[in-house]
């Protein structure tokens, strides 16, 4: 009987959490507050944990792409964990591709810190990067990231 009561309490607590986070599900339908401050364009990435790592620049048409760099070409659903003018954290799930959790902190409209981890292609990933806008997208990349 005591074990059953424990499970009931846990279920009620999970239900309460779901009710509290339910509005967050719809927040991503509009612009995330922090991402609205970032400028579209060509972004360069610097690995904060591995100074020798090189990442190719990406033309970012919609700064929301920065929230799922590991799965940027996959259709994913997002759950907004936190969202304000200084930063945003989301958990996303991509059917058949994996999932991730990304926190992005805005430094300036052209500089952001990204911390992301999850599973991609049945393998774990985790990295911290600095994303810096370097200019407009070259015409050869005009449709990249759209």
């Amino acid at each position: 009987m005591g074990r059953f009561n424990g499970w009931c309490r846990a279920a009620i607590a999970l239900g309460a959490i779901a009710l509290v986070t339910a509005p967050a599900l719809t927040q991503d339908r509009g612009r995330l507050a922090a991402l609205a401050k970032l400028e579209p364009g060509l972004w360069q990435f610097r690995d904060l944990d591995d100074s020798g790592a090189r990442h190719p620049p990406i033309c970012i048409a919609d700064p929301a792409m920065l929230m799922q760099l590991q799965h940027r070409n996959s259709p994913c659903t997002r759950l907004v964990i936190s969202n304000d003018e200084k930063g945003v954290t989301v958990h996303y799930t991509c059917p058949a591709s994996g999932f991730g959790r990304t926190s992005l902190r805005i430094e300036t409209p052209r500089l952001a810190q990204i911390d992301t981890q999850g599973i991609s292609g049945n393998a774990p990933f985790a990295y911290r990067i600095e994303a810096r806008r370097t200019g407009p997208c070259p015409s050869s990349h005009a449709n990249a990231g759209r």
Side-chain angles (χ1 to χ4, degrees):
M1 187 80 161
R3 183 179 252 176
F4 178 74
N5 285 337
W7 284 107
C8 284
R9 285 188 196 120
I12 290 169
L14 287 174
I17 291 169
L19 286 174
V20 170
T21 59
L25 292 171
T26 60
Q27 284 181 331
D28 197 27
R29 297 203 195 290
R31 299 277 295 181
L32 294 169
L35 298 182
K37 292 185 169 192
L38 294 175
E39 299 176 13
L42 192 63
W43 286 75
Q44 182 66 51
F45 304 95
R46 183 174 68 91
D47 193 317
L48 296 173
D49 297 320
D50 181 2
S51 61
R54 296 279 180 207
H55 302 280
I58 299 173
C59 182
I60 303 288
D62 179 2
M65 275 184 64
L66 295 170
M67 297 310 300
Q68 59 184 68
L69 287 171
Q70 190 72 26
H71 297 93
R72 71 177 171 269
N73 296 322
S74 299
C76 305
T77 59
R78 293 184 187 152
L79 171 64
V80 178
I81 307 296
S82 67
N83 178 24
D84 62 34
E85 280 80 33
K86 295 180 181 181
V88 61
T89 298
V90 300
H91 179 276
Y92 63 89
T93 303
C94 312
S97 298
F99 61 89
R101 179 183 173 117
T102 301
S103 293
L104 181 141
R105 187 178 79 237
I106 304 294
E107 303 291 336
T108 72
R110 296 176 177 209
L111 179 65
Q113 305 295 320
I114 300 171
D115 185 350
T116 188
Q117 61 183 329
I119 300 291
S120 179
N122 293 325
F125 69 89
Y127 51 87
R128 295 179 319 117
I129 58 174
E130 177 183 85
R132 182 179 301 272
R133 185 184 184 277
T134 58
C137 294
S139 58
S140 63
H141 292 92
N143 292 324
R146 290 183 188 225

